[in-house]
Amino acid sequence: MTSFLSFSAISAHPPTFSGASFRPRSLSPRLFKSCVKCTYAEAGLSSDSWSAPIDIVADVKSERVVVLGGNGFVGSAICKAAISNGIEVVSVSRSGRPNFQDSWLDQVTWVTGDVFYLNWDEVLLGATAVVSTIGGFGNEEQMKRINGEANVTAVNAAKDFGVPKFVLITVHDYNLPPFILSSGYFTGKRNAEAELLSKYPTSGVVLRPGFIYGKRKVNGIEVPLDLVGEPLDKIYDSAERFIRPLRSLPASDLILAPPVNVDDLALAVINAVKDDGFFGIFTIEQIKEAAAKMRV
């Protein structure tokens, strides 16, 4: 298998030290109180006869999301969706800001760094959620490190710092046989899921999409994955009742699992960030339902 990395926020080589240490800090979602004073007067009355001021105090939660791999295909869609929903965004990746132009890019804080060497105290300050899009291919050890260890490091850093929610993008298992699911790619991802759900049992979110389509930009060149994904998506929707019984067959989902629009995946992430009752493992169908809820 050709070795390559699909995520630029981590190093493919092991660190020179045995492990990262994080300074625990408790940090709850940022709540701001605003005081508004109102006065009322009837027409024709002097200022001396106005009623006494009424103090109104409101709690407003300000959301700040840290997206690991925010300059990638999925990560950039999540950043864009978050900005559109009024959420403050910090992206962390080894290459920093993307090399394409768009108006929403200026509203994101782009941090250049590797998750194994980050100053988490600075990155996570004020964060109400962390979203990880870390993942990639390579040899067995590289895939375990990229898909597993990097995400485990991020989960533990967020938990130690007191970030209340963590969203992890992994992958559908496609009903593959055990000997394939035991590869470094799937083992790493499932290890990361287990770590997340153990540290965030009531607020951790695992999204398992299949093939993700949309307009992907590679080195400034747009790759229209939607030309393949969108027609397939429509076919699956129209033939779902015929396809669903076949999906129980071994490895059948390599062909029969419906694709997911990258914008729908991003909206599902925003749903997870905003909804405190949104946690656990979400399938392809549930990802689409979550996105539909946000569109409404």
Side-chain angles (χ1 to χ4, degrees):
M1 178 183 294
T2 302
S3 176
F4 67 97
L5 305 183
S6 65
F7 174 64
S8 58
I10 61 176
S11 170
H13 304 289
T16 56
F17 48 90
S18 59
S21 63
F22 310 103
R23 178 158 54 92
R25 179 184 298 182
S26 176
L27 186 70
S28 58
R30 297 184 299 171
L31 294 175
F32 299 96
K33 290 189 176 181
S34 59
C35 182
V36 181
K37 293 189 176 182
C38 306
T39 60
Y40 303 87
E42 295 182 6
L45 295 179
S46 67
S47 59
D48 293 337
S49 61
W50 288 359
S51 60
I54 301 173
D55 292 344
I56 302 173
V57 178
D59 285 341
V60 180
K61 184 169 78 169
S62 177
E63 292 162 327
R64 185 173 191 260
V65 174
V66 176
V67 181
L68 304 178
N71 68 353
F73 175 47
V74 174
S76 60
I78 293 170
C79 291
K80 182 178 180 180
I83 292 295
S84 298
N85 281 270
I87 300 173
E88 184 182 350
V89 179
V90 176
S91 165
V92 178
S93 61
R94 286 200 298 162
S95 53
R97 184 180 173 122
N99 57 5
F100 60 88
Q101 298 298 319
D102 212 328
S103 58
W104 62 269
L105 294 174
D106 293 333
Q107 300 178 62
V108 176
T109 300
W110 301 99
V111 176
T112 302
D114 185 311
V115 295
F116 288 111
Y117 309 101
L118 274 181
N119 184 339
W120 291 101
D121 280 6
E122 293 182 0
V123 173
L124 298 178
L125 184 63
T128 55
V130 174
V131 179
S132 177
T133 68
I134 299 175
F137 295 95
N139 61 40
E140 284 293 295
E141 291 305 312
Q142 285 176 328
M143 290 191 291
K144 288 179 181 178
R145 177 176 171 80
I146 298 164
N147 299 302
E149 295 171 20
N151 282 307
V152 168
T153 296
V155 167
N156 284 306
K159 183 63 178 180
D160 289 344
F161 200 85
V163 180
K165 173 154 279 192
F166 199 109
V167 182
L168 177 64
I169 313 295
T170 62
V171 68
H172 182 59
D173 63 18
Y174 296 100
N175 292 333
L176 293 171
F179 75 91
I180 295 180
L181 294 177
S182 63
S183 68
Y185 180 79
F186 286 99
T187 298
K189 287 185 177 291
R190 298 305 177 242
N191 287 344
E193 291 180 3
E195 185 72 12
L196 170 61
L197 296 176
S198 69
K199 295 296 173 64
Y200 288 88
T202 60
S203 62
V205 178
V206 174
L207 301 180
R208 290 180 174 178
F211 170 63
I212 304 170
Y213 69 91
K215 288 182 170 58
R216 182 170 191 164
K217 294 184 178 180
V218 180
N219 296 324
I221 300 174
E222 191 172 88
V223 180
L225 296 177
D226 53 330
L227 293 182
V228 176
E230 191 170 344
L232 283 176
D233 209 357
K234 291 180 179 179
I235 291 172
Y236 283 115
D237 284 345
S238 61
E240 181 182 5
R241 64 174 181 165
F242 302 106
I243 292 175
R244 185 174 291 276
L246 300 175
R247 293 184 59 191
S248 61
L249 299 174
S252 59
D253 271 2
L254 285 172
I255 299 173
L256 300 178
V260 176
N261 187 310
V262 69
D263 293 329
D264 283 348
L265 180 57
L267 286 177
V269 170
I270 303 307
N271 192 340
V273 169
K274 287 180 168 290
D275 187 352
D276 291 337
F278 193 111
F279 61 90
I281 298 175
F282 289 79
T283 64
I284 295 172
E285 290 78 8
Q286 291 169 326
I287 290 170
K288 293 188 174 188
E289 290 172 4
K293 180 180 176 182
M294 285 300 299
R295 291 188 190 281
V296 172

